[in-house]
Amino acid sequence: MNAKLAAAIGWLAGAAILAALSLTLTGYHADLFRKLLLTATLAVGYNFQFGFAGQIAFSHYAFYGIGAYAITILSTRFGLALPVAALATIGLSALLALMVAIPANRLEGFYIALATLAFAQLFVVVMVQGGDFTGGPDGLFGFDAPTIFGARLAGANFMLVVSALFLANLALFAALGRSWFGRACRAVRDDPEAAAAMGVDVARTRIAVFTLTSSLAAVAGMAYAFADNFVNPFVFGIDAMFVLLFMVLIGGAGRHAGAVVGCVFLFMLPEYLGDLVGRFHLLAYGILMVVVMMFLPNGIIGLWDRLAKRLRPEPAR
Amino acid sequence: MSGTGGRTLLTVRGLAKRFGGLVAVDDVDFDLDDGEILGIIGPNGAGKTTTFNLIAGALRADAGSIRLRDAEIAGLPAHKVAARGILRTFQHNRPFKGMNVLENLLVGAHRRVRARPWAAALGLPSARREDAALAAAARETLAFVGLGDHAASDVSKLSFGQGRLLECARALMGEPAIILFDEPAAGLTSVEAERLGGVIRGIAARGIAVLLIEHDMRFLLPLAHRVVVLDRGAKIADGTPAAISREPAVIEAYLGRHAGAAA
């Protein structure tokens, strides 16, 4: 009961802090805050795909882009009402995810990486070559922030929505992660043959995880479209995807808190690194990542676990 | 022939498997009853492991039938065989390394889970209650196999013998009708093997049928109610441990067929 109460207080405190930041931050800091929240939402989902289910996939940012492009095109070009456009976007991204996952899962691990890498590259190419329909290399811009229930989805309203989206993703993946489904995912990651011997349908589990996490990346992408009311194909490229992978690895793959911590760390690092080491900041960033991955195999959260263990006496059995 | 007089649970008829020109399993028949401990023995290359894998769904039979009660299960993939209530252990322990001992057992309970995926995703009270009930069952099962102190342990902290007990406990968590053991005594010390034998007897006493393939006769003969002997893919004997150890065909297969042929 105590643990339940502590968890409830933790969630409420988190929500209160995010709400307070949403209502007070302005200008550059507001922009950093909402992009950080969107990236953290992606990181939490990618951690489930990669850290829990062990799928080495590179399509997470592509689905983020699919969400952003689809909602913009459907609501501005086709004039669909926002809820209709949102549902259609989710349907489309789920369908695309299935189309990638089903053939990729017939093949083994390495091919999932190749298939999703190809898919991610193809997405950027199609968006760049899409002419007027996708806006080509310039992307889509000049559309208005939508209005929901009379509130314009901009400024503090937008940040509140993104805060709620992040918390909802975190809560969903936390619940899923500690449920039978999360255990089945980790079993499939650790030893697919042994998982099948326990009755876990390995292919179905993999497809379900990929479709769910990819669709939720698209939902985050829908929100991203209205962060600046600007959608550009190069934002969703493979560079960003690798940074997302490093966020999860450095934070601690397979741990929700790790994904969030790793995201905050890598997202904020360039902000401070530039002042510290000037034009060498990219080099410093790279070296730091190599060092962390060499010496902290379980990421920042693994270091935290070790410290906490040292401070606390061994619990009685 | 039955060691326990229980109902027939598994009926294997005409089971066959070939790999290229090699006939690994050739027209094998046997039955397995409720609560029975059935051993399958034979010299190297006799087809024990292939028979095991055919039943577990790791391999597909070329011919023959495997019926669980009245349902045909030959040709089902491994996860569907498990879902029907036939769970297995691995000869080289294969725990889920990223999970602690208790979580490993909960994966074993996969076929018992009733909560729908969305109930799990939303953390609904019904799903949480089921989880708590399964965790309680897992603690009991750990105590039953003698790992009661290790619920929260990392699986890497277990000895090889404890790892084998974890294999048993994980399979037990599925409330199986049958547990298949793949050479359970392999790699164990005599003390560990004796302890494992006790656990296997306890499993059979719960009414769960046990089918084990085994090399080690000193482990198997006192444990099994009945033994099926395979040689070069075919069944050459089927009976109580005492009866099969007197069969000339068994003695010949084990002591060398040259001696037998010369006689």
Side-chain angles (χ1 to χ4, degrees):
Chain A
M1 208 63 213
N2 245 343
K4 259 187 194 172
L5 192 66
I9 291 171
W11 283 104
L12 281 176
I17 291 167
L18 291 181
L21 288 168
S22 299
L23 294 171
T24 52
L25 290 178
T26 53
Y28 180 67
H29 290 114
D31 188 52
L32 263 187
F33 176 66
R34 59 199 184 172
K35 300 250 169 77
L36 172 60
L37 277 176
L38 283 167
T39 313
T41 305
L42 282 183
V44 168
Y46 189 63
N47 177 50
F48 200 84
Q49 188 183 85
F50 171 75
F52 274 75
Q55 296 179 349
I56 304 173
F58 296 103
S59 51
H60 214 61
Y61 254 92
F63 280 98
Y64 188 51
I66 286 164
Y69 269 96
I71 191 87
T72 308
I73 291 171
L74 290 174
S75 63
T76 62
R77 293 228 197 290
F78 294 97
L80 294 183
L82 195 71
V84 180
L87 283 177
T89 300
I90 294 169
L92 174 73
S93 48
L95 189 71
L96 286 170
L98 280 173
M99 285 169 60
V100 174
I102 291 173
N105 271 286
R106 284 182 187 281
L107 310 164
E108 279 307 308
F110 174 64
Y111 295 95
I112 298 173
L114 281 187
T116 52
L117 195 59
F119 178 81
Q121 296 289 55
L122 186 68
F123 169 72
V124 175
V125 169
V126 169
M127 292 306 108
V128 170
Q129 303 289 325
D132 282 347
F133 190 69
T134 64
D138 298 332
L140 298 166
F141 47 89
F143 52 92
D144 260 342
T147 303
I148 309 174
F149 302 125
R152 196 162 169 272
L153 205 57
N157 286 343
F158 180 78
M159 285 191 274
L160 285 171
V161 167
V162 176
S163 297
L165 181 69
F166 165 70
L167 287 175
N169 268 267
L170 189 59
L172 178 96
F173 284 117
L176 212 49
R178 65 170 167 264
S179 74
W180 63 267
F181 186 78
R183 289 191 296 268
C185 289
R186 288 188 287 160
V188 167
R189 172 199 67 193
D190 288 350
D191 189 335
E193 197 188 334
M198 299 300 121
V200 177
D201 187 334
V202 172
R204 213 167 124 184
T205 304
R206 282 180 175 156
I207 291 167
V209 168
F210 187 81
T211 306
L212 174 72
T213 52
S214 298
S215 302
L216 285 174
V219 171
M222 294 197 283
Y224 173 82
F226 304 112
D228 297 325
N229 297 326
F230 174 48
V231 177
N232 177 289
F234 303 108
V235 170
F236 309 109
I238 208 71
D239 310 4
M241 185 60 235
F242 279 111
V243 175
L244 189 67
L245 175 63
F246 287 138
M247 285 173 174
V248 169
L249 282 173
I250 285 181
R255 298 281 296 272
H256 306 293
V260 176
V261 168
C263 175
V264 172
F265 182 68
L266 280 197
F267 193 88
M268 299 308 287
L269 196 63
E271 298 297 317
Y272 300 104
L273 219 51
D275 295 341
L276 231 58
V277 291
R279 63 197 178 84
F280 296 111
H281 74 276
L282 272 180
L283 184 65
Y285 191 83
I287 291 171
L288 188 79
M289 288 205 282
V290 171
V291 168
V292 170
M293 283 165 68
M294 280 175 72
F295 295 102
L296 296 177
N298 297 317
I300 298 170
I301 208 79
L303 180 69
W304 167 263
D305 285 349
R306 264 189 284 167
L307 289 176
K309 216 175 200 175
R310 202 165 293 175
L311 292 176
R312 263 201 309 260
E314 191 78 2
R317 276 180 178 152
Chain B
M1 262 212 223
S2 155
T4 56
R7 288 175 305 130
T8 300
L9 198 54
L10 191 76
T11 314
V12 175
R13 290 291 176 269
L15 195 64
K17 178 73 185 175
R18 56 173 70 239
F19 298 106
L22 174 79
V23 181
V25 175
D26 186 9
D27 197 22
V28 166
D29 301 342
F30 62 87
D31 293 343
L32 174 64
D33 293 348
D34 272 329
E36 184 180 30
I37 302 176
L38 173 67
I40 298 184
I41 61 167
N44 276 329
K48 299 188 300 289
T49 300
T50 305
T51 303
F52 184 97
N53 285 330
L54 290 172
I55 297 170
L59 288 174
R60 263 182 99 94
D62 293 327
S65 95
I66 305 169
R67 285 198 309 280
L68 175 65
R69 294 191 187 93
D70 287 320
E72 182 62 50
I73 59 160
L76 290 183
H79 71 269
K80 288 198 175 148
V81 172
R84 298 284 183 95
I86 302 182
L87 294 188
R88 66 168 292 180
T89 67
F90 288 91
Q91 183 189 345
H92 308 283
N93 301 343
R94 283 168 75 167
F96 302 113
K97 294 193 180 75
M99 287 183 255
N100 69 23
V101 168
L102 188 80
E103 290 172 317
N104 266 268
L105 261 68
L106 291 174
V107 177
H110 188 79
R111 68 181 287 265
R112 292 165 66 185
V113 170
R114 293 290 165 266
R116 310 306 306 165
W118 54 87
L122 298 175
L124 296 187
S126 60
R128 289 182 179 219
R129 269 198 303 275
E130 184 182 44
D131 245 25
L134 288 175
R139 286 174 199 283
E140 279 174 27
T141 304
L142 280 176
F144 171 73
V145 302
L147 291 176
D149 292 340
H150 295 86
S153 299
D154 211 275
V155 291
S156 63
K157 298 281 192 296
L158 299 183
S159 70
F160 187 78
Q162 289 173 325
R164 186 59 49 76
L165 293 171
L166 173 62
E167 291 273 324
C168 296
R170 190 172 66 177
L172 263 178
M173 277 303 289
E175 291 190 336
I178 302 173
I179 300 187
L180 309 174
F181 285 94
D182 186 0
E183 303 209 10
L188 299 189
T189 65
S190 55
V191 175
E192 287 172 335
E194 197 163 316
R195 190 171 165 191
L196 180 71
V199 169
I200 292 174
R201 280 194 191 90
I203 289 171
R206 291 181 165 197
I208 297 167
V210 172
L211 189 154
L212 45 95
I213 61 170
E214 188 53 74
H215 240 93
D216 184 348
M217 302 283 267
R218 276 175 307 175
F219 176 75
L220 184 79
L221 293 181
L223 182 64
H225 298 134
R226 198 160 53 89
V227 177
V228 166
V229 186
L230 298 181
D231 184 31
R232 284 181 280 183
K235 183 168 94 170
I236 58 167
D238 182 342
T240 62
I244 62 113
S245 13
R246 286 192 301 268
E247 288 251 3
V250 176
I251 295 165
E252 183 188 323
Y254 269 86
L255 297 182
R257 52 184 56 94
H258 297 299

